[in-house]
Amino acid sequence: MSEQANEEVDIILYSAADGVATITMNRPKYNNAQNGRMTYELDDAFRRAVADDEVKVIVLKGEGKHFSAGHDIGTPGRDIHLPQERVTMNYDHSNKPGGEFLYAREAEAYLGMCRRWRDIPKPTIACVQGACIAGGLMLAWVCDLIIASDDAFFSDPVVRMGIPGVEYFAHPYELNPRIAKEFLFTGDRMSADRAYQMGMVNRVVARDELADTTQAMAEKIAQMPRLGLALTKQAINHVEDLQGKRNGMEAAFAWHHFAHSHNDLISGDKLGGHDAKSMAAENKKQGS
Ligand code: ZN
């Protein structure tokens, strides 16, 4: 069976019980690399959870060994060239030339989606094991809480592509600026324990306790009144935006796209000639 045919079912799993919706990325063969299809089905699942009055809290998981290896830059199911039915006020990217192609795509599918998900009016919890890399970080970061297993690690190695971090540029908010620079300059993996020390994750637990700890936290929060939770989330997100988070991301997104276009001019490739394989090989060589 081809990868595409394989993936016609259940790339995102959804279940809801006891006030908690669980949304699971289900591409374990590719470490839950996010292609366009996964992104849009994730959006559908989040909307479903928001619309269901029985759901108070949303948990986001990744099936298999790793939470997410990031955006799909090299699996057989990569579908960046295909048009998508858009959910933000952006036009189709797939027939556009030059820098417009990726700018329109990422304004919608990366920055646009992440902002939508970050402002979901219900608490969200990322349940992270194994790798949480680049685009995977974006998914964890848009959630309100992050619970990690002790084998989880976090990295954003895209500086290797000449790109100043992933599209949802929350680094200086998730980490203090000096640590964020080290994280980006080196591309090194940050362990779950270090991420906990930095305040980036809320709890670190053994791998076999991850699901239960996350569920218990979700059920506890689900006892709170819906509007109280929504307003609390809105208040904190608003303060972050007053501190410059949203505007900072706008500037970083522009620099990010200058880098994509520069790469294209120099090498004919917006990722500077890198794909998943070459990035993994380079990261290994550097010992990160
Ligand atoms: Zn990009």
Side-chain angles (χ1 to χ4, degrees), residues 71 102 106 110 163 165-167 253 256-257 260 270-271:
H71 296 139
L102 208 53
E106 295 193 345
Y110 296 164
I163 296 170
V166 287
E167 294 81 5
F253 190 67
H256 179 102
H257 275 276
H260 275 311
K270 295 176 178 65
L271 304 182

Side-chain angles (χ1 to χ4, degrees), residues 97-146:
E100 190 176 13
F101 173 92
L102 208 53
Y103 188 77
R105 167 76 170 29
E106 295 193 345
E108 153 102 357
Y110 296 164
L111 185 58
M113 289 287 198
C114 280
R115 281 179 170 166
R116 276 163 75 78
W117 300 338
R118 180 246 187 183
D119 288 331
I120 284 171
K122 297 183 178 181
T124 52
I125 305 177
C127 176
V128 178
Q129 82 284 11
C132 181
I133 302 175
L137 280 176
M138 293 168 46
L139 290 183
W141 284 350
V142 297
C143 291
D144 299 307
L145 307 182
I146 300 176

Side-chain angles (χ1 to χ4, degrees), residues 13 19 28 65 109 115 125-126 135 137 149 187 190 204 207 217 222 226 235 257 270 276:
L13 308 176
K65 202 172 167 200
R115 281 179 170 166
I125 305 177
L137 280 176
S149 59
M190 179 177 281
V204 180
R207 178 72 167 257
M217 175 75 92
R226 176 175 49 238
H257 275 276
K270 295 176 178 65

